[in-house]
Amino acid sequence: MSLSSSACPAVLSELPDPPGTSVPSEPFGADAALRAVPNVGRPVGVFDSGVGGLTVLQAMLRRMPHEDYLYLGDTARLPYGAKSRETVIRYAARVSAFLVEQRVKALVIACNTATSAALPALRAAYPHIPVIGVIEPGAEAACRASVSGHIAVIATPATIRDGSYPAAILRRRPEARVKSLACPLFVPMAEDGLFEGPLAEGLAARYLSAIFPVVTGQDDGRGEGQGGERDRPDCLVLGCTHYPLLAGAIRRVVGKGVTLVDSAATTAEAACRVLTERGLARSARSGGGTCRFFTTDDPERFARTGRLFLDMPLGGDDVTLVDL
Ligand code: DGL
């Protein structure tokens, strides 16, 4: 695996004006030339509102080490999770237009909030390439992991508002019981590197006690309320790119009997399957294995925070600033 950075490509000046808040039939201004059949040698485009999606990139690097990757973190507009659906669609459209202009062969939306709001619009805008989100793979993993069918989902306010995870889970397991909860402060906490310790655990306890009541060892017999062991979900979906970093603190609050699920590995698996099915996967002998990083705000900060999420050296010089 190697890093590569370059000057901001000239094509940036040709980017279309940002679209309005509605989604017109040609929403992202992609011209016909961009719709050329993608070829195997092209990179895979991955984006997130920030650095959290690097957890998905990391899983993709493990699963598909011979691919080249372009990763864009829209740090200038983070957090997406506190924005309206229309605004998130507009942001995702700009970022995707940039990656498509770099001729990516597939687009991975490594952001739960952007997947929830913009996946159908991006698929409609770029029918010539596979567009893969993180929510269906995450829901799939949760449905496989849960024995009782009682599943909890934590995510940003925007993802919870859209109800995308419960919908995806219930499509697979109509008998499932799904509880959803927004945990907005987990994102700044993870960005500050506060994964463990009293603050992280205190916040996790504050949020999660609504769904995971403290088990006293004395079941009240109804399986409900305080001590209601049977009312506890047996699976918790970490439905936000940042939450896996807080898994230790979350685990201490929910206890051992709950399976924590995140989308990173399952999304990498889904991307691998789609690329293979479409004849777009690189073979082991074809070289590849490079990553180029782009950000819409300070490259140094991207690199500093990104190192918390990515298991590789990353400096400000490895990251290219783009103005979208
Ligand atoms: N990447 C976002 C997500 O997975 C979390 C950060 C944000 O709110 O932008 O939902």
Side-chain angles (χ1 to χ4, degrees):
M1 221 302 302
S2 63
L3 297 174
S4 110
S5 72
S6 73
C8 185
V11 291
L12 272 180
S13 58
E14 295 161 21
L15 279 176
D17 289 337
T21 51
S22 63
V23 183
S25 57
E26 191 66 66
F28 309 132
D31 67 41
L34 295 179
R35 297 184 183 285
V37 177
N39 89 36
V40 175
R42 298 278 180 207
V44 176
V46 183
F47 80 87
D48 177 35
S49 54
V51 292
L54 292 172
T55 53
V56 177
L57 178 67
Q58 183 82 63
M60 293 178 69
L61 282 163
R62 277 200 201 105
R63 186 67 187 83
M64 299 182 285
H66 306 290
E67 298 294 342
D68 292 318
Y69 297 92
L70 303 186
Y71 180 95
L72 194 150
D74 192 12
T75 45
R77 299 181 183 88
L78 180 103
Y80 282 11
K83 310 287 190 314
S84 72
R85 186 179 173 80
E86 290 71 23
T87 297
V88 174
I89 292 175
R90 201 168 70 241
Y91 291 173
R94 288 190 195 187
V95 168
S96 302
F98 170 80
L99 290 170
V100 171
E101 293 231 6
Q102 313 309 307
R103 306 288 196 271
V104 294
K105 65 180 176 184
L107 197 55
V108 176
I109 312 174
C111 172
N112 293 265
T113 306
T115 299
S116 179
L119 179 66
L122 293 177
R123 282 193 172 146
Y126 303 120
H128 67 300
I129 53 171
V131 180
I132 297 142
V134 289
I135 289 183
E136 295 292 332
E140 179 70 40
C143 288
R144 272 203 309 266
S146 175
V147 175
S148 66
H150 190 184
I151 298 170
V153 179
I154 53 174
T156 64
T159 303
I160 297 299
R161 183 189 59 214
D162 289 346
S164 312
Y165 267 106
I169 290 167
L170 291 169
R171 266 197 303 280
R172 291 169 171 81
R173 284 186 72 168
E175 87 294 358
R177 269 202 304 157
V178 187
K179 286 184 180 148
S180 306
L181 184 75
C183 303
L185 292 177
F186 278 166
V187 169
M189 198 118 188
E191 293 252 331
D192 267 350
L194 288 168
F195 311 141
E196 302 279 350
L199 268 182
E201 272 179 49
L203 187 63
R206 174 77 194 268
Y207 279 140
L208 292 167
S209 58
I211 295 184
F212 294 92
V214 176
V215 178
T216 60
Q218 302 219 326
D219 196 317
D220 62 10
R222 293 171 295 139
E224 289 172 0
Q226 189 86 356
E229 177 74 40
R230 278 179 286 154
D231 198 48
R232 289 165 63 87
D234 69 351
C235 175
L236 174 63
V237 180
L238 308 181
C240 169
T241 48
H242 286 62
Y243 297 0
L245 292 185
L246 292 152
I250 291 170
R251 161 70 63 213
R252 269 186 281 287
V253 171
V254 300
K256 285 199 194 109
V258 177
T259 306
L260 303 186
V261 164
D262 75 70
S263 306
T266 39
T267 300
E269 201 54 52
C272 182
R273 194 173 56 243
V274 171
L275 289 180
T276 306
E277 280 167 8
R278 302 225 192 161
L280 290 171
R282 292 181 78 133
S283 74
R285 274 167 289 130
S286 63
T290 66
C291 286
R292 287 174 65 194
F293 297 94
F294 301 90
T295 183
T296 51
D297 196 21
D298 182 11
E300 284 295 340
R301 177 167 162 74
F302 179 97
R304 201 168 50 247
T305 321
R307 284 194 293 271
L308 301 171
F309 291 73
L310 197 59
D311 196 14
M312 68 165 78
L314 185 63
D317 292 346
D318 301 314
V319 185
T320 302
L321 178 66
V322 291
D323 181 15
L324 301 182

